[in-house]
Amino acid sequence: MSEATGGESHDEAHSGGLGTRLNWLRAAVLGANDGIVSTAGIVVGVAGATDSRPALLTAGLAGLLAGSMSMAAGEYVSVSTQRDSERAALAVEKRELKEQPEAELEELTRMLADRGLSEEVAREAAVQLTDRDALRAHARVELGIDPDELTNPWHAAGASFLAFTVGALLPLLAIVLPPASARLYVTVLSVLAALALTGWWSARLGAAAAGPAVLRNVCGGALAMTVTYAAGSALDAVGV
């Protein structure tokens, strides 16, 4: 019994760790994708109105900083709320374990039985898990929370900031480094290629078909650049 339980815990730990890593990778890919599209939209829109390198650099940097800070702040608030909810749930569970241990043991037994164990085996497993660490057992089985690995809002904010910045650097550099005659073409082609790559990678992480993800990414980015370039050109035409 102990060997089976240990093996199950070992598998669950690896499964949970893999899921966490995949979530972080997916968030990084999406953050980079946002950085590419939003910054490309800004610099291409400005390029529709002017070919001034300082103006393009200023607009691109402003978009990069505003976007990365916004992403980081939003992620920090979101994950902080999640962490507060996890802590509150753990506090409730800790109080219930103290006030009604027998009822909590029965609840753990029932949840283990619902996962396919026989009543006898589920009871034995629940007793062993409770003796070892009741709060951790209930947190993992009942709440789906690992008390030792609560979400970290600072890590999430930093990852979002970095991912967005890396993505935004591509269109920014592509619009300011080439000569004026080629910068728009270089930017558009670079952005579409990068979006195809992030679409493929996000599909790979989600074990989905790559074609639709790549097509959505490329079409979305192309539409954003077309709209902003048209707006910039229209403003330039009317002398704004």
Side-chain angles (χ1 to χ4, degrees), residues 156-175:
S160 293
F161 179 91
L162 182 61
F164 187 97
T165 300
V166 170
L169 281 174
L170 173 69
L172 176 58
L173 295 177
I175 202 75

Side-chain angles (χ1 to χ4, degrees), residues 1-10 121 124-125 128-129 132:
M1 172 63 199
S2 59
E3 291 179 0
T5 304
E8 183 180 358
S9 300
H10 181 74
V121 173
E124 181 182 350
Q128 291 189 15
L129 290 171
R132 184 178 302 172

Side-chain angles (χ1 to χ4, degrees), residues 16-37:
L18 178 60
T20 300
R21 287 193 296 273
L22 288 177
N23 286 335
W24 279 105
L25 284 171
R26 190 174 291 110
V29 170
L30 294 176
N33 193 78
D34 287 344
I36 293 169
V37 174

Side-chain angles (χ1 to χ4, degrees), residues 43-52 55-56 228-237 240:
V43 297
V44 169
V46 174
T50 178
D51 61 357
S52 167
L56 292 168
T228 55
Y229 182 79
S233 298
L235 291 174
D236 181 51
V240 176

